[in-house]
Amino acid sequence: MTDTVDDVLETVAAVAPDVRDGLPGRRLTEAGVENPSGETVTAADVHADELFFEALGAIDGVVEYASEEREAVADVGDGEDGVAIAIDPLDGSSNLASNNAMGTIVGVADDSLPAAGEDLVAAAYVLYGPITTMTVAQEGTVTTYVLDGGETRAVEEDVELPDDPVVYGFGGRVPDWPDAFHDYAREIETELKLRYGGAMVGDVNQVLSYGGVFAYPALESAPNGKLRLQFEGAPIAKIIEAAGGASSDGEQSLLSVEPTELHQRVPVHVGNEEYIDRLEAALAD
Ligand code: AFP
């Protein structure tokens, strides 16, 4: 299976530059459809999903492909056992119009989808920032690569969250935060610097780089928050926990959340363990 996982990660690295190259021509183009979560889909979302589906679905040993943009899981296997791919092909695509960071998030599961985070054998995110980087959690360790000119170059190994947290980023609107989260946020903002860019990958990468906490919490208007367990919460939690951090849906690790449906939403909190512990204590009061 390791060979297949390596093939998947190498393929994600190979496709990412094509996703990035396709962005300028699709800057303001909507696809005219909504995704299964009811969100407007951009032409860039569709393009990224098509590129990844074609490349990842062709790998021997990949038997299922599911994405944030597709209603159902696609069976891409040949009847053999294998791994399942859950992908957000272009995370933060609403940042394209404003030319801000976006990403791709990938979970590789050794179980049929929807899978629990504990069944992820690898997870990765690509960050389309000033530099295209790819951060991978595999076999309990995190490695960051620079993707440049067709080359994948490891630039940091055994990545760990810094011990002295610096930044926080919380999604949703302040009036929509439940009181317990609101009070927690008011404490955190006296301790850390606000860094929120509207694409989970960019905001989580700030936390991984500087230490701190990212959350898209449960909202009064959306008790399960906004982010999807399969395509955002679980793979990101896999990476942050492998980097020595913690994750929570408010009560438990995101890796322990029971998958009930492919596009289920979940409150997401990830970062340094002390901040996740305080979050869970605040919500338990
Ligand atoms: P889009 O893909 O629609 O831009 O949403 C991005 C996202 O799913 C995630 O990447 C962000 O953390 C979050 O939504 C931002 O949501 P808000 O726009 O409500 O801040």
Side-chain angles (χ1 to χ4, degrees), residues 90-95 196 198-200 214 216 226-228 232:
L90 193 59
D91 170 68
S93 55
S94 62
N95 273 355
Y196 187 80
M200 183 185 199
F214 167 85
Y216 206 109
K226 174 182 182 183
L227 303 180
R228 275 63 39 153
E232 295 158 310

Side-chain angles (χ1 to χ4, degrees), residues 161-182:
L161 271 81
D163 290 332
D164 299 323
V166 175
V167 299
Y168 77 97
F170 296 152
R173 295 182 58 251
V174 175
D176 208 4
W177 289 344
D179 291 346
F181 184 82
H182 186 278

Side-chain angles (χ1 to χ4, degrees), residues 94-118:
S94 62
N95 273 355
L96 181 53
S98 57
N99 194 28
N100 290 104
M102 290 168 284
T104 294
I105 307 171
V106 185
V108 186
D110 63 357
D111 196 355
S112 194
L113 297 176
E118 287 157 345

Side-chain angles (χ1 to χ4, degrees), residues 89 134 152 171 201 228 277:
M134 180 166 160
T152 300
V201 169
R228 275 63 39 153
D277 290 346

